Amino acid sequence: MARFEAYENNGGTCVAVAGADYCVVAADTRLSVGYSILSRDSSKIAHLAYKCVLASSGFQGDVKALQRNLAAKELLYEHNHNKKMSCPAMAQLLSNTLYYKRFFPYYAFNVLGGLDSEGKGCVFTYDAVGSYERTGYSAQGTGAALMMPVLDNQLKSPSPLLLPARDAVTPLSQSDAVDLVKDVFASATERDIYTGDKLEIVVINSAGSHREFIELRKD
């Protein structure tokens, strides 16, 4: 008997790392179902606001619907307030949007990265129903469990329980952070069949943003 499945995990992994004056957001470009690769060139990253980037893993249909929803709300905000939405404001908007759909949630696991109003790097990590926190780095998706131990070891974000509160930004330089992201993806692709093909990296800093691609395993 045919059975309706509302959700499907299309795999992939997203990572974001925040520094003192930059943010690195990266994701692979593989789109797959089970043991079948549907696309080797499917971007998981969307520019949403001024110096603010969203990377999402999960069900591709929900990811695209969520990105369009947020882009429309950001455009309305810009017209109503005559200014671009900040990254922390977009983080709250994303949380509200996910929570609004909590009874039939977007099957999307999100990492939001960019610069805050002071020019510091910021990373916000989410669950599927909008609970979020600001951290120095995060990973979401099928390869996240393989990447987070390496990021924890290399970046060692201070505990939020420490007083006085310390910055969660990472101590690495921008180039070192990009190299670290490349290394964790190269490692994860050895074990995670849903992560691979190409790595898309977006670096956001005071000069703007730029994008680069590197090749990953294709098997």
Side-chain angles (χ1 to χ4, degrees), residues 65-81:
L66 176 61
Q67 289 174 352
R68 283 198 301 268
N69 190 347
L70 293 171
K73 289 179 177 177
E74 195 279 331
L75 187 61
L76 285 173
Y77 179 94
E78 186 177 343
H79 289 320
N80 289 335
H81 299 277

Side-chain angles (χ1 to χ4, degrees), residues 35-57:
Y35 295 111
S36 300
I37 296 175
L38 304 182
S39 173
R40 297 184 185 274
D41 195 25
S42 176
S43 177
K44 297 177 176 67
I45 296 177
H47 282 268
L48 291 180
Y50 181 63
K51 294 185 179 176
C52 181
V53 171
L54 175 68
S56 305
S57 173

Side-chain angles (χ1 to χ4, degrees), residues 38-144:
L38 304 182
S39 173
R40 297 184 185 274
D41 195 25
S42 176
S43 177
K44 297 177 176 67
I45 296 177
H47 282 268
L48 291 180
Y50 181 63
K51 294 185 179 176
C52 181
V53 171
L54 175 68
S56 305
S57 173
F59 175 44
Q60 188 72 359
D62 280 355
V63 167
K64 294 301 183 187
L66 176 61
Q67 289 174 352
R68 283 198 301 268
N69 190 347
L70 293 171
K73 289 179 177 177
E74 195 279 331
L75 187 61
L76 285 173
Y77 179 94
E78 186 177 343
H79 289 320
N80 289 335
H81 299 277
N82 200 29
K83 66 176 182 179
K84 299 278 189 181
M85 186 180 288
S86 68
C87 192
M90 179 58 76
Q92 184 65 59
L93 174 62
L94 175 55
S95 175
N96 293 349
T97 303
L98 294 171
Y99 187 72
Y100 177 76
K101 286 267 291 176
R102 65 193 179 279
F103 297 116
F104 192 19
Y106 290 111
Y107 193 38
F109 302 95
N110 304 285
V111 177
L112 187 76
L115 301 183
D116 63 15
S117 56
E118 298 176 355
K120 291 181 180 177
C122 54
V123 170
F124 300 89
T125 184
Y126 294 79
D127 69 4
V129 291
S131 177
Y132 78 109
E133 67 171 325
R134 181 172 177 169
T135 62
Y137 58 91
S138 182
Q140 293 276 17
T142 53

Side-chain angles (χ1 to χ4, degrees), residues 151-164:
L151 294 173
D152 287 335
N153 176 262
Q154 294 296 309
L155 302 178
K156 293 185 178 12
S157 184
S159 169
L161 301 177
L162 289 176
L163 292 175

